[in-house]
Amino acid sequence: MNKKLYFGIAVLIIIVIAVGGFIYWQWSEVPQPKEEIAQDEKQLEQSDKPPVAGPGFKMVRHGDHWHEVPIDAPDVWQEETPEPTEPKVQWTAPEGTVTKPDFPKVDPKADPVKVAYKRLEYIKNNPYAWGGVHSPRATELIAQLMPPPVLIDHADGDRVYALIEELIAQGDPRAAEVLITNICEGSVAGREMFDGLVAIGPPAVQFILPYLHEDNLWAGTAAKILARIAVKYRDDLGGIVEHIIIPNITTIAADEHFERFSSGSVIDAQAALAQLQ
């Protein structure tokens, strides 16, 4: 073959490739049939529909996933902070309960430690003396949160925390036991729960104290919460601070070799003591 023949074959091959590419490009740009477009849109629309929620629950979308939360719970994933749930019963206490602290007179010669425990007993028996709401909704929430729920996955944690936030918003001092128990024995904890205990004040003390005697990761946190309450309500707590709270926190802070408590708990207890000075 001569050079002209080789050149002609090469040109022919180039032309065939170019034509093939052009045909492929035209075919790939062919509009999708309307029936297929409608089917795709239907599938997309269906993907946005929430799964069916169980009785008493609703589905809330977070990113690409749906989560089941109580029907009355706030949407914890919305961008703006939800307004606190208003208590169903505003600023009321059970009939006949004490609504202002009125401590019994004390014999000045009595044992100050015994006097402190009697004062603690008075607070225990009169939790509404420091305000708060006796909320029917709180009663329902307490039943769901005690004992602390067992969490299976992340969605369970979100659901439980939403219930706890709603309980805090009720303003019922009975929430104190629920909060500290879920912190120290459950699987959820957060700043709102710590602040909720401080807001309840003296009625929360009786429930927090037992966790100063246990070798658990939250003993130091319990000490810090107690210190905040003691600073805010020192006059109302009286000798409870000097004869009950401080001695118990001191026991944790003195465990320098971490034989009973973790290093974090010891450090937190030392910080709590400094706050009480």
Side-chain angles (χ1 to χ4, degrees):
M1 292 186 182
N2 55 33
K3 293 182 178 180
K4 291 184 178 181
L5 182 59
Y6 280 119
F7 180 79
I9 292 173
V11 171
L12 180 60
I13 293 173
I14 293 172
I15 292 173
V16 170
I17 293 173
V19 171
F22 177 79
I23 293 173
Y24 176 80
W25 176 76
Q26 287 291 327
W27 177 82
S28 65
E29 291 296 313
V30 173
Q32 190 177 8
K34 291 183 179 180
E35 294 80 9
E36 294 182 15
I37 295 175
Q39 183 67 23
D40 291 344
E41 290 178 347
K42 183 178 181 180
Q43 292 178 353
L44 180 61
E45 180 181 357
Q46 290 178 342
S47 69
D48 289 336
K49 292 181 179 179
V52 178
F57 292 90
K58 64 181 179 180
M59 301 305 296
V60 176
R61 188 163 186 171
H62 178 42
D64 297 329
H65 303 284
W66 290 97
H67 299 273
E68 189 179 64
V69 300
I71 198 166
D72 294 331
D75 184 355
V76 297
W77 294 295
Q78 64 186 32
E79 293 183 1
E80 296 182 358
T81 302
E83 292 294 328
T85 304
E86 289 295 329
K88 293 185 177 181
V89 181
Q90 292 285 343
W91 311 115
T92 61
E95 185 177 354
T97 58
V98 175
T99 56
K100 291 183 179 180
D102 185 17
F103 295 103
K105 293 183 179 180
V106 176
D107 181 355
K109 297 181 180 179
D111 181 350
V113 176
K114 291 183 178 179
V115 170
Y117 276 101
K118 285 185 178 180
R119 195 177 186 89
L120 187 63
E121 185 70 16
Y122 176 88
I123 294 172
K124 175 182 177 180
N125 295 332
N126 300 282
Y128 294 95
W130 287 267
V133 177
H134 184 71
S135 164
R137 177 57 180 158
T139 302
E140 298 171 359
L141 293 167
I142 291 169
Q144 296 181 63
L145 294 166
M146 291 291 282
V150 177
L151 307 185
I152 304 300
D153 54 34
H154 179 73
D156 288 338
D158 292 333
R159 185 173 69 251
V160 169
Y161 205 84
L163 290 174
I164 288 175
E165 288 182 317
E166 184 181 0
L167 176 60
I168 293 171
Q170 297 300 306
D172 195 316
R174 293 178 297 161
E177 183 179 12
V178 178
L179 296 179
I180 192 62
T181 304
N182 274 269
I183 290 171
C184 295
E185 299 181 27
S187 302
V188 294
R191 173 58 59 184
E192 292 85 356
M193 298 171 73
F194 307 153
D195 293 345
L197 285 164
V198 176
I200 292 171
V205 171
Q206 60 167 319
F207 299 110
I208 305 174
L209 281 170
Y211 293 101
L212 300 183
H213 298 282
E214 298 180 12
D215 184 9
N216 67 79
L217 294 176
W218 295 98
T221 298
K224 290 175 69 176
I225 295 171
L226 275 176
R228 291 176 61 190
I229 295 174
V231 169
K232 186 175 181 179
Y233 296 94
R234 190 135 196 173
D235 290 341
D236 288 331
L237 291 173
I240 295 173
V241 177
E242 286 74 18
H243 301 293
I244 301 178
I245 293 178
I246 289 179
N248 281 284
I249 295 179
T250 300
T251 299
I252 303 174
D255 187 21
E256 297 180 353
H257 299 292
F258 318 128
E259 296 175 352
R260 293 181 55 198
F261 300 93
S262 68
S263 59
S265 291
V266 173
I267 293 172
D268 284 343
Q270 292 170 348
L273 284 180
Q275 190 175 1
L276 291 169
Q277 300 303 321

